[in-house]
Every structure is written in C-alpha cells, then in structure tokens.
Amino acid sequence: MTQGMLPTPNSPGWQMLARGQQEGDGISRCPGGHIHLDHGSLTLRFDADEFLAFAQMVAEAAAHLSGGTRLTLPPRGNDSANFSLN
C-alpha cells in the first residue's frame, strides 16, 4: 500500500479506524502497527503513543474552538506487545 491511500476493507493486515467526510480521508493502522492519518493531500504516520498525544491535542483545540468541554482520552497501557518499531 502506498502512502496516502486508505486500505480497502479486504487489505491484509490493515485496520480502518475512522473514515473522514471526503473520499480518501481516514485513519488506519498498517500491518507494522503505525497509525496513518490521510486528509486531502496530507498524510501523517504515527506510532500509537504519538497518535494518542496528537489526538488529545486536537481534541483540546476542537473544544476551544467550539466552546465545549475538553475530551479526555483514557490512560494508556503498555502497547509494546501490540506495535512494532518499524
């Protein structure tokens, strides 16, 4: 799978985590355990802890913009058994 492409439902080892409003926008986990965020021409790749820190920051910014309350993500466990370093 090339960077910037969302996996199809039958892509071996890929897990779709969320889909965006536009075609091609979404967040998925590749077989190597990385989280891929695709939005328009932007593609970001994170490890699990980096992604959760980024998601927390985005949730806080969204709360400020909307005047709402801050979303708090649950505490993290040890994901070293679930994610590789490649």
Side-chain angles (χ1 to χ4, degrees):
M1 176 145 320
T2 62
Q3 194 168 5
M5 292 179 59
L6 290 176
T8 60
N10 295 325
S11 296
W14 283 79
Q15 177 187 15
M16 178 54 75
L17 301 173
R19 291 200 181 271
Q21 293 179 351
Q22 303 295 317
E23 184 175 340
D25 289 354
I27 302 170
S28 55
R29 185 180 320 178
C30 73
H34 296 107
I35 309 299
H36 297 254
L37 183 151
D38 294 288
H39 183 76
S41 62
L42 175 69
T43 298
L44 301 173
R45 187 178 95 168
F46 302 91
D47 69 21
D49 289 334
E50 290 172 330
F51 177 76
L52 290 171
F54 177 75
Q56 185 72 49
M57 184 175 60
V58 170
E60 184 175 341
H64 284 289
L65 287 173
S66 68
T69 59
R70 183 175 174 208
L71 172 69
T72 303
L73 297 175
R76 296 290 303 151
N78 181 358
D79 282 338
S80 61
N82 299 326
F83 294 95
S84 67
L85 297 177
N86 57 348

Coordinates of all heavy atoms in Angstrom, one line a residue:
M1 N 0.8 -1.2 0.0 CA 0.0 0.0 0.0 C 0.9 1.2 0.0 O 1.8 1.3 0.8 CB -0.9 0.0 1.2 CG -1.7 1.2 1.3 SD -3.3 1.0 2.0 CE -3.9 -0.5 1.3
T2 N 0.6 2.2 -0.9 CA 1.4 3.4 -0.9 C 0.9 4.4 0.0 O -0.3 4.4 0.4 CB 1.4 4.0 -2.3 OG1 0.1 4.3 -2.7 CG2 2.0 3.0 -3.3
Q3 N 1.8 5.3 0.4 CA 1.4 6.4 1.3 C 0.3 7.2 0.7 O 0.3 7.5 -0.5 CB 2.6 7.2 1.7 CG 2.4 8.1 2.8 CD 3.7 8.7 3.3 OE1 4.7 8.6 2.6 NE2 3.7 9.5 4.3
G4 N -0.7 7.6 1.5 CA -1.8 8.5 1.1 C -3.0 7.7 0.6 O -3.9 8.3 0.1
M5 N -2.9 6.4 0.6 CA -4.0 5.6 0.2 C -4.7 4.8 1.3 O -3.9 4.2 2.1 CB -3.6 4.5 -0.9 CG -3.1 5.1 -2.2 SD -2.6 3.8 -3.3 CE -4.0 2.8 -3.4
L6 N -6.0 4.9 1.5 CA -6.6 4.2 2.5 C -6.8 2.7 2.2 O -6.9 2.4 1.0 CB -8.0 4.8 2.8 CG -8.1 6.1 3.4 CD1 -9.5 6.6 3.5 CD2 -7.4 6.1 4.8
P7 N -6.7 1.8 3.1 CA -6.8 0.4 2.8 C -8.3 0.1 2.4 O -9.2 0.8 2.8 CB -6.5 -0.3 4.1 CG -6.8 0.7 5.2 CD -6.5 2.1 4.6
T8 N -8.4 -0.9 1.6 CA -9.8 -1.4 1.2 C -10.2 -2.3 2.4 O -9.3 -2.8 3.1 CB -9.8 -2.1 -0.1 OG1 -8.9 -3.2 0.0 CG2 -9.4 -1.2 -1.2
P9 N -11.4 -2.6 2.5 CA -11.9 -3.5 3.6 C -11.2 -4.8 3.6 O -11.0 -5.4 4.7 CB -13.4 -3.7 3.3 CG -13.8 -2.4 2.6 CD -12.6 -2.1 1.7
N10 N -10.7 -5.3 2.5 CA -10.0 -6.6 2.5 C -8.5 -6.6 2.5 O -7.8 -7.5 2.2 CB -10.5 -7.4 1.3 CG -12.0 -7.7 1.4 OD1 -12.5 -8.0 2.5 ND2 -12.7 -7.7 0.3
S11 N -7.9 -5.4 2.7 CA -6.5 -5.3 2.7 C -5.9 -6.1 3.9 O -6.2 -5.8 5.0 CB -6.0 -3.8 2.9 OG -6.5 -3.1 1.8
P12 N -5.0 -7.1 3.6 CA -4.5 -7.9 4.6 C -3.7 -7.1 5.6 O -2.8 -6.4 5.3 CB -3.5 -8.9 3.9 CG -4.0 -8.8 2.4 CD -4.5 -7.4 2.2
G13 N -4.0 -7.3 6.9 CA -3.3 -6.7 8.0 C -3.6 -5.2 8.3 O -3.2 -4.7 9.3
W14 N -4.4 -4.5 7.4 CA -4.7 -3.1 7.7 C -6.0 -3.1 8.4 O -7.0 -3.9 8.2 CB -4.9 -2.4 6.3 CG -3.6 -2.0 5.7 CD1 -2.8 -2.8 5.0 CD2 -3.0 -0.8 5.8 NE1 -1.7 -2.2 4.6 CE2 -1.7 -0.9 5.1 CE3 -3.3 0.5 6.3 CZ2 -0.9 0.2 4.9 CZ3 -2.4 1.5 6.2 CH2 -1.2 1.4 5.5
Q15 N -6.1 -2.1 9.4 CA -7.3 -1.9 10.2 C -7.8 -0.5 10.0 O -7.1 0.4 10.3 CB -7.0 -2.2 11.6 CG -8.2 -2.0 12.5 CD -7.9 -2.1 14.0 OE1 -6.7 -2.1 14.4 NE2 -8.9 -2.2 14.8
M16 N -9.0 -0.3 9.5 CA -9.6 1.0 9.3 C -10.1 1.5 10.7 O -10.9 0.8 11.3 CB -10.7 1.0 8.3 CG -11.4 2.3 8.1 SD -10.3 3.7 7.8 CE -10.0 3.4 6.1
L17 N -9.6 2.6 11.2 CA -10.0 3.1 12.5 C -11.1 4.2 12.4 O -12.0 4.3 13.3 CB -8.8 3.7 13.2 CG -7.6 2.7 13.4 CD1 -6.4 3.4 14.0 CD2 -8.1 1.5 14.3
A18 N -11.1 5.0 11.3 CA -12.1 6.1 11.2 C -12.0 6.5 9.7 O -11.0 6.5 9.1 CB -11.8 7.2 12.1
R19 N -13.2 6.9 9.2 CA -13.3 7.5 7.9 C -13.7 8.9 8.0 O -14.4 9.3 8.8 CB -14.3 6.7 7.0 CG -13.9 5.3 6.7 CD -14.7 4.8 5.5 NE -14.3 3.5 5.2 CZ -13.3 3.1 4.3 NH1 -12.6 4.1 3.8 NH2 -13.0 1.9 4.1
G20 N -13.1 9.8 7.1 CA -13.5 11.2 7.0 C -14.7 11.4 6.1 O -15.3 10.5 5.6
Q21 N -15.0 12.7 6.0 CA -16.2 13.1 5.2 C -15.9 13.0 3.7 O -16.8 12.7 2.9 CB -16.6 14.5 5.6 CG -17.2 14.6 7.0 CD -17.6 16.0 7.4 OE1 -17.4 16.9 6.6 NE2 -18.3 16.1 8.5
Q22 N -14.7 13.2 3.3 CA -14.3 13.2 1.9 C -13.7 11.8 1.6 O -13.1 11.2 2.4 CB -13.2 14.3 1.6 CG -13.7 15.7 1.9 CD -14.9 16.1 1.1 OE1 -14.9 15.9 -0.1 NE2 -15.8 16.8 1.7
E23 N -13.9 11.4 0.3 CA -13.3 10.1 -0.1 C -11.8 10.2 0.0 O -11.2 11.2 -0.3 CB -13.7 9.8 -1.6 CG -13.2 8.5 -2.0 CD -13.7 8.2 -3.4 OE1 -14.6 8.8 -3.9 OE2 -13.0 7.3 -4.1
G24 N -11.2 9.2 0.6 CA -9.8 9.1 0.8 C -9.3 9.7 2.1 O -8.1 9.5 2.4
D25 N -10.2 10.3 2.9 CA -9.8 10.8 4.2 C -10.1 9.7 5.2 O -11.2 9.1 5.2 CB -10.6 12.0 4.6 CG -10.3 13.2 3.8 OD1 -9.3 13.2 3.0 OD2 -10.9 14.3 3.9
G26 N -9.2 9.4 6.1 CA -9.4 8.5 7.2 C -8.1 8.2 8.0 O -7.1 8.7 7.7
I27 N -8.3 7.3 8.9 CA -7.2 6.9 9.8 C -7.2 5.4 9.9 O -8.3 4.8 10.1 CB -7.4 7.5 11.3 CG1 -7.5 9.0 11.2 CG2 -6.3 7.0 12.2 CD1 -7.9 9.7 12.5
S28 N -6.1 4.8 9.7 CA -6.0 3.4 9.6 C -4.7 2.9 10.3 O -3.7 3.7 10.5 CB -6.0 2.8 8.2 OG -5.0 3.5 7.4
R29 N -4.6 1.7 10.7 CA -3.4 1.1 11.2 C -2.8 0.1 10.2 O -3.6 -0.8 9.8 CB -3.7 0.4 12.5 CG -2.4 -0.2 13.2 CD -2.7 -0.9 14.5 NE -3.7 -0.2 15.3 CZ -4.2 -0.6 16.4 NH1 -3.8 -1.7 17.0 NH2 -5.1 0.1 17.0
C30 N -1.6 0.2 9.9 CA -0.9 -0.7 8.9 C -0.4 -2.0 9.6 O -0.4 -2.0 10.9 CB 0.2 0.0 8.2 SG 1.7 0.3 9.2
P31 N 0.0 -3.0 8.9 CA 0.5 -4.2 9.5 C 1.7 -4.0 10.4 O 1.9 -4.8 11.3 CB 0.8 -5.1 8.3 CG 0.0 -4.6 7.1 CD -0.2 -3.1 7.4
G32 N 2.4 -2.9 10.2 CA 3.6 -2.6 11.0 C 3.2 -1.9 12.3 O 4.1 -1.7 13.1
G33 N 1.9 -1.7 12.5 CA 1.4 -1.1 13.7 C 1.4 0.5 13.7 O 1.0 1.1 14.7
H34 N 1.8 1.1 12.6 CA 1.8 2.6 12.6 C 0.3 3.0 12.3 O -0.4 2.4 11.6 CB 2.7 3.1 11.5 CG 4.1 2.8 11.8 ND1 4.8 1.8 11.0 CD2 5.0 3.2 12.7 CE1 6.0 1.7 11.5 NE2 6.2 2.6 12.5
I35 N 0.0 4.2 12.8 CA -1.3 4.8 12.5 C -1.1 5.8 11.4 O -0.2 6.7 11.5 CB -1.8 5.6 13.8 CG1 -1.8 4.7 15.0 CG2 -3.2 6.2 13.5 CD1 -2.6 3.5 14.9
H36 N -1.9 5.7 10.3 CA -1.8 6.5 9.2 C -3.0 7.4 9.1 O -4.1 6.9 9.1 CB -1.7 5.7 7.9 CG -0.5 4.8 7.8 ND1 0.5 5.1 7.0 CD2 -0.2 3.7 8.5 CE1 1.5 4.2 7.1 NE2 1.1 3.3 8.0
L37 N -2.8 8.8 9.1 CA -3.9 9.7 9.0 C -3.8 10.4 7.6 O -2.8 10.9 7.3 CB -3.7 10.8 10.1 CG -4.8 11.9 10.2 CD1 -4.9 12.4 11.6 CD2 -4.6 13.0 9.2
D38 N -4.8 10.2 6.8 CA -4.9 10.7 5.5 C -6.0 11.7 5.4 O -7.2 11.4 5.8 CB -5.1 9.6 4.5 CG -4.0 8.7 4.4 OD1 -2.9 9.1 3.9 OD2 -4.1 7.5 4.9
H39 N -5.7 13.0 5.0 CA -6.7 14.0 4.8 C -6.3 14.9 3.6 O -5.3 15.6 3.7 CB -6.8 14.9 6.1 CG -7.8 15.9 6.0 ND1 -9.2 15.6 6.2 CD2 -7.7 17.3 5.8 CE1 -9.9 16.8 6.1 NE2 -9.0 17.7 5.8
G40 N -7.0 14.8 2.6 CA -6.7 15.5 1.3 C -5.3 15.1 0.9 O -5.0 13.9 0.8
S41 N -4.4 16.1 0.7 CA -3.1 15.8 0.2 C -2.1 15.6 1.4 O -0.9 15.4 1.2 CB -2.5 16.9 -0.7 OG -2.5 18.1 0.1
L42 N -2.6 15.6 2.6 CA -1.8 15.4 3.8 C -1.8 14.0 4.3 O -2.9 13.4 4.5 CB -2.3 16.3 4.9 CG -1.6 16.2 6.3 CD1 -0.2 16.7 6.2 CD2 -2.4 17.0 7.3
T43 N -0.6 13.4 4.5 CA -0.6 12.1 5.2 C 0.4 12.2 6.3 O 1.5 12.7 6.1 CB -0.1 11.0 4.1 OG1 -1.0 10.9 3.1 CG2 0.1 9.7 4.8
L44 N 0.0 11.7 7.5 CA 0.9 11.7 8.7 C 0.9 10.2 9.1 O -0.1 9.5 9.1 CB 0.3 12.6 9.8 CG 0.1 14.0 9.5 CD1 -0.6 14.7 10.6 CD2 1.4 14.7 9.2
R45 N 2.1 9.8 9.6 CA 2.3 8.5 10.2 C 2.8 8.6 11.6 O 3.7 9.4 11.9 CB 3.3 7.7 9.3 CG 3.4 6.3 9.8 CD 4.3 5.5 8.9 NE 5.6 5.6 9.5 CZ 6.7 4.8 9.1 NH1 6.5 4.1 8.0 NH2 7.8 4.9 9.7
F46 N 2.1 7.9 12.5 CA 2.5 8.0 14.0 C 2.7 6.6 14.5 O 2.1 5.6 14.0 CB 1.3 8.5 14.7 CG 0.8 9.9 14.3 CD1 -0.2 10.1 13.4 CD2 1.3 11.0 15.0 CE1 -0.6 11.3 13.0 CE2 0.9 12.3 14.6 CZ -0.1 12.4 13.7
D47 N 3.4 6.5 15.6 CA 3.3 5.2 16.4 C 2.1 5.5 17.3 O 1.5 6.6 17.4 CB 4.6 4.9 17.2 CG 5.0 5.8 18.3 OD1 4.1 6.5 18.8 OD2 6.1 5.8 18.7
A48 N 1.6 4.5 18.1 CA 0.4 4.6 18.8 C 0.4 5.7 19.9 O -0.5 6.5 20.0 CB 0.1 3.2 19.5
D49 N 1.5 5.8 20.6 CA 1.6 6.8 21.7 C 1.6 8.2 21.1 O 1.0 9.2 21.6 CB 2.8 6.6 22.6 CG 2.6 5.4 23.5 OD1 1.5 5.0 23.8 OD2 3.7 4.8 23.9
E50 N 2.3 8.4 20.0 CA 2.4 9.7 19.3 C 1.0 10.1 18.8 O 0.6 11.2 18.9 CB 3.3 9.7 18.1 CG 4.8 9.6 18.4 CD 5.6 9.3 17.1 OE1 5.1 8.7 16.2 OE2 6.7 9.8 17.1
F51 N 0.3 9.1 18.2 CA -1.1 9.4 17.7 C -2.0 9.8 18.8 O -2.8 10.8 18.7 CB -1.7 8.2 17.0 CG -3.1 8.5 16.5 CD1 -3.3 9.3 15.4 CD2 -4.1 7.9 17.2 CE1 -4.6 9.6 15.0 CE2 -5.4 8.2 16.8 CZ -5.7 9.0 15.7
L52 N -1.9 9.1 20.0 CA -2.8 9.5 21.1 C -2.5 10.8 21.6 O -3.4 11.6 22.0 CB -2.8 8.4 22.2 CG -3.4 7.1 21.7 CD1 -3.1 6.0 22.8 CD2 -4.9 7.2 21.5
A53 N -1.2 11.2 21.7 CA -0.9 12.6 22.1 C -1.4 13.6 21.1 O -1.9 14.6 21.5 CB 0.6 12.7 22.3
F54 N -1.3 13.3 19.8 CA -1.8 14.2 18.8 C -3.3 14.3 18.9 O -3.8 15.4 18.8 CB -1.4 13.7 17.4 CG -1.9 14.5 16.3 CD1 -1.3 15.7 15.9 CD2 -2.9 14.0 15.5 CE1 -1.8 16.4 14.9 CE2 -3.4 14.7 14.4 CZ -2.9 15.9 14.1
A55 N -4.0 13.2 19.1 CA -5.4 13.2 19.2 C -5.9 14.0 20.4 O -6.9 14.8 20.3 CB -6.0 11.8 19.3
Q56 N -5.2 13.9 21.5 CA -5.5 14.7 22.7 C -5.4 16.2 22.4 O -6.2 17.0 22.8 CB -4.6 14.3 23.9 CG -4.9 15.0 25.2 CD -6.2 14.4 25.8 OE1 -6.4 13.2 25.9 NE2 -7.1 15.3 26.2
M57 N -4.3 16.6 21.7 CA -4.1 18.0 21.4 C -5.2 18.5 20.5 O -5.7 19.6 20.7 CB -2.7 18.1 20.7 CG -2.3 19.5 20.4 SD -0.6 19.7 19.8 CE -0.7 18.7 18.3
V58 N -5.5 17.7 19.5 CA -6.6 18.1 18.5 C -7.9 18.2 19.3 O -8.7 19.2 19.0 CB -6.7 17.1 17.3 CG1 -7.9 17.4 16.5 CG2 -5.4 17.2 16.5
A59 N -8.2 17.3 20.2 CA -9.5 17.3 20.9 C -9.5 18.6 21.8 O -10.6 19.3 21.9 CB -9.6 16.1 21.8
E60 N -8.4 19.0 22.4 CA -8.4 20.2 23.2 C -8.6 21.4 22.3 O -9.4 22.3 22.7 CB -7.0 20.3 23.9 CG -6.9 21.5 24.8 CD -5.7 21.5 25.7 OE1 -5.0 20.5 25.8 OE2 -5.3 22.6 26.2
A61 N -8.0 21.5 21.2 CA -8.2 22.6 20.2 C -9.6 22.7 19.8 O -10.2 23.8 19.7 CB -7.2 22.5 19.0
A62 N -10.2 21.5 19.4 CA -11.6 21.5 19.0 C -12.5 22.0 20.1 O -13.5 22.7 19.8 CB -12.0 20.1 18.6
A63 N -12.2 21.6 21.3 CA -13.1 22.1 22.4 C -13.0 23.6 22.6 O -14.0 24.3 22.8 CB -12.7 21.4 23.7
H64 N -11.8 24.2 22.4 CA -11.6 25.6 22.5 C -12.4 26.3 21.3 O -13.0 27.4 21.6 CB -10.1 26.0 22.4 CG -9.4 25.8 23.7 ND1 -9.6 26.5 24.8 CD2 -8.5 24.9 24.0 CE1 -8.9 26.1 25.8 NE2 -8.2 25.1 25.3
L65 N -12.3 25.8 20.1 CA -13.0 26.4 19.0 C -14.5 26.3 19.1 O -15.2 27.2 18.7 CB -12.5 25.7 17.7 CG -11.1 26.0 17.2 CD1 -10.8 25.2 16.0 CD2 -11.0 27.5 16.9
S66 N -15.0 25.2 19.7 CA -16.4 25.1 19.8 C -17.0 25.6 21.1 O -18.2 25.6 21.2 CB -16.8 23.6 19.6 OG -16.3 22.9 20.8
G67 N -16.2 26.0 22.0 CA -16.6 26.5 23.3 C -17.1 25.4 24.2 O -17.7 25.6 25.2
G68 N -16.8 24.2 23.8 CA -17.3 23.0 24.6 C -16.3 22.6 25.6 O -15.3 23.2 25.9
T69 N -16.5 21.4 26.2 CA -15.6 20.9 27.2 C -14.6 20.0 26.5 O -14.8 19.5 25.4 CB -16.4 20.0 28.2 OG1 -17.1 19.0 27.5 CG2 -17.4 20.8 29.0
R70 N -13.5 19.8 27.2 CA -12.4 19.1 26.7 C -12.6 17.6 26.7 O -13.1 17.1 27.7 CB -11.1 19.4 27.5 CG -9.9 18.8 27.0 CD -8.7 19.3 27.8 NE -7.5 18.5 27.4 CZ -6.5 18.3 28.2 NH1 -6.5 18.8 29.5 NH2 -5.5 17.6 27.8
L71 N -12.3 16.9 25.7 CA -12.4 15.4 25.6 C -11.2 14.9 26.3 O -10.0 15.3 26.0 CB -12.4 14.9 24.2 CG -12.3 13.5 23.9 CD1 -13.6 12.8 24.4 CD2 -12.1 13.2 22.5
T72 N -11.3 13.9 27.2 CA -10.2 13.3 27.9 C -10.1 11.8 27.4 O -11.1 11.1 27.5 CB -10.4 13.4 29.4 OG1 -10.5 14.7 29.8 CG2 -9.2 12.7 30.1
L73 N -9.0 11.5 26.9 CA -8.8 10.1 26.5 C -8.4 9.2 27.7 O -7.8 9.7 28.6 CB -7.7 10.0 25.4 CG -8.0 10.8 24.1 CD1 -6.8 10.8 23.2 CD2 -9.2 10.2 23.4
P74 N -8.7 7.9 27.7 CA -8.4 7.0 28.8 C -6.9 6.9 28.9 O -6.2 7.1 27.9 CB -9.0 5.7 28.4 CG -9.3 5.8 27.0 CD -9.4 7.2 26.6
P75 N -6.4 6.6 30.1 CA -4.9 6.4 30.3 C -4.4 5.2 29.4 O -5.2 4.3 29.1 CB -4.8 6.1 31.8 CG -6.1 5.9 32.3 CD -7.1 6.4 31.3
R76 N -3.2 5.3 29.0 CA -2.6 4.3 28.1 C -1.9 3.2 28.9 O -1.3 3.5 29.9 CB -1.5 5.0 27.3 CG -2.1 6.0 26.3 CD -2.9 5.5 25.2 NE -2.1 4.5 24.5 CZ -2.6 3.5 23.9 NH1 -3.8 3.2 23.9 NH2 -1.8 2.6 23.3
G77 N -2.1 2.0 28.4 CA -1.3 0.9 28.9 C 0.0 0.7 28.1 O 0.3 1.5 27.4
N78 N 0.6 -0.4 28.3 CA 1.8 -0.7 27.6 C 1.4 -1.4 26.3 O 1.0 -2.5 26.3 CB 2.7 -1.6 28.4 CG 4.0 -1.9 27.7 OD1 4.2 -1.5 26.6 ND2 4.9 -2.7 28.4
D79 N 1.7 -0.7 25.2 CA 1.3 -1.3 23.8 C 2.5 -1.9 23.2 O 2.4 -2.3 22.0 CB 0.8 -0.2 22.9 CG -0.6 0.2 23.2 OD1 -1.3 -0.6 23.8 OD2 -1.1 1.3 22.9
S80 N 3.6 -2.1 23.9 CA 4.8 -2.6 23.2 C 4.6 -4.0 22.6 O 5.2 -4.4 21.6 CB 6.0 -2.6 24.1 OG 5.7 -3.4 25.3
A81 N 3.7 -4.7 23.2 CA 3.4 -6.1 22.7 C 2.5 -6.0 21.4 O 2.5 -6.9 20.6 CB 2.7 -6.9 23.7
N82 N 1.8 -4.9 21.2 CA 0.9 -4.8 20.1 C 1.5 -4.0 18.9 O 0.9 -4.1 17.8 CB -0.4 -4.0 20.5 CG -1.1 -4.8 21.6 OD1 -1.1 -6.0 21.6 ND2 -1.7 -4.1 22.5
F83 N 2.6 -3.3 19.1 CA 3.1 -2.4 18.0 C 4.6 -2.7 17.8 O 5.3 -2.8 18.7 CB 2.9 -0.9 18.3 CG 1.4 -0.6 18.4 CD1 0.8 -0.6 19.6 CD2 0.8 -0.3 17.2 CE1 -0.6 -0.2 19.6 CE2 -0.6 0.1 17.3 CZ -1.2 0.1 18.5
S84 N 5.0 -2.7 16.5 CA 6.4 -2.9 16.2 C 7.0 -1.5 16.0 O 6.4 -0.5 15.9 CB 6.5 -3.7 14.9 OG 6.1 -3.0 13.8
L85 N 8.4 -1.5 16.0 CA 9.1 -0.2 15.8 C 9.5 0.0 14.4 O 10.3 0.9 14.1 CB 10.3 -0.3 16.7 CG 10.1 -0.4 18.2 CD1 11.4 -0.5 19.0 CD2 9.3 0.8 18.7
N86 N 9.0 -0.7 13.4 CA 9.4 -0.5 12.0 C 8.7 0.6 11.4 O 7.8 1.2 11.7 CB 9.2 -1.7 11.2 CG 7.8 -2.3 11.2 OD1 7.0 -1.9 12.0 ND2 7.6 -3.2 10.3

